[in-house]
Amino acid sequence: ILDAAAQVLGETGPRPRLFTAIADRAQISRPTLYRHFADQDALYDSLMRAEITRVVHEIAEQARTTTSPFEDYVTTVVGLVQEARNHRALQAVLARHPGIMAAQLPKITPVALELAEPVLRPIADAAVEEGRWPAIDLRVAIIWTTRLVTALVTMPMPDDGSEAALRATVESLLQIASAISHGQP
C-alpha cells in the first residue's frame, strides 16, 4: 500500500480522490485502505516512518565500518539530501502542496529520534570504544543531522545544485561549527 501511495503521490501529488487512486494502484478496496489509514495524515505519517526506517538502516550499515567520521558524515548527509531531492513523491508534495510538508516537518525529528537511536546507539558506542569515532551525544547528532538534511532539502542553497557543490556546502557548515566550538572554553 505504501509503495502504491508513493507512486501515486510521485505522479500527481496529493489530489482529490487520492485514496481511490492509491486503492486502485494497490489493487485493494477503499474500505481496506481506510482500515489501514484513517485519513491522509495517517498515510503521510506512515510514509514518513517507512522512509526514515529505510534510511536509518542504510546509515547503520555504513556506520558499522566508518573509519573517517567527518568524510563519512559528509557523504551520508550529501547522499540523504540528494535522495530526498530525487524522491518523486516528496518533491511532488513540496512543489504542489507545501502546506502538507509544513505540517509534517515538526514530526520528522521526533520520529527520526524514535527510529534511529535504538539502531544507531550500539553502533556508535562500539565505534567510540574502538576509537573510530569521537565521543558524541548521539541524540544531538540525530537531531541536528535531521534538521540539516531537512533544511537542505526544503531550502536549498543557491549554489548547491551539484554533488560537489552540495558536498562543499556541508563541509563548510561543519567546519564553521567546528571553528565555533573550538573557540568555546
Side-chain angles (χ1 to χ4, degrees), residues 117-129:
E117 189 172 19
V119 173
L120 297 177
R121 172 69 58 204
I123 296 167
D125 289 348
V128 169
E129 188 175 305

Side-chain angles (χ1 to χ4, degrees), residues 5 13-14 34 61-62 64 86 106 120 132 144 167 177:
Y34 278 106
E61 285 305 311
Q62 178 184 344
R64 283 185 175 87
N86 294 322
L120 297 177
R132 293 185 294 116
W144 283 104
R167 177 174 282 283

Side-chain angles (χ1 to χ4, degrees), residues 70 74 165-179:
F70 180 85
V74 170
L166 179 58
R167 177 174 282 283
T169 297
V170 173
E171 287 173 352
S172 293
L173 290 170
L174 292 174
Q175 289 165 352
I176 290 166
S178 178

Side-chain angles (χ1 to χ4, degrees), residues 48 99-112 146-147 150:
M48 177 181 57
I100 292 171
M101 192 65 208
Q104 289 298 117
L105 287 175
K107 300 175 187 178
I108 293 172
T109 299
V111 171
T146 302
R147 289 178 177 181
T150 302

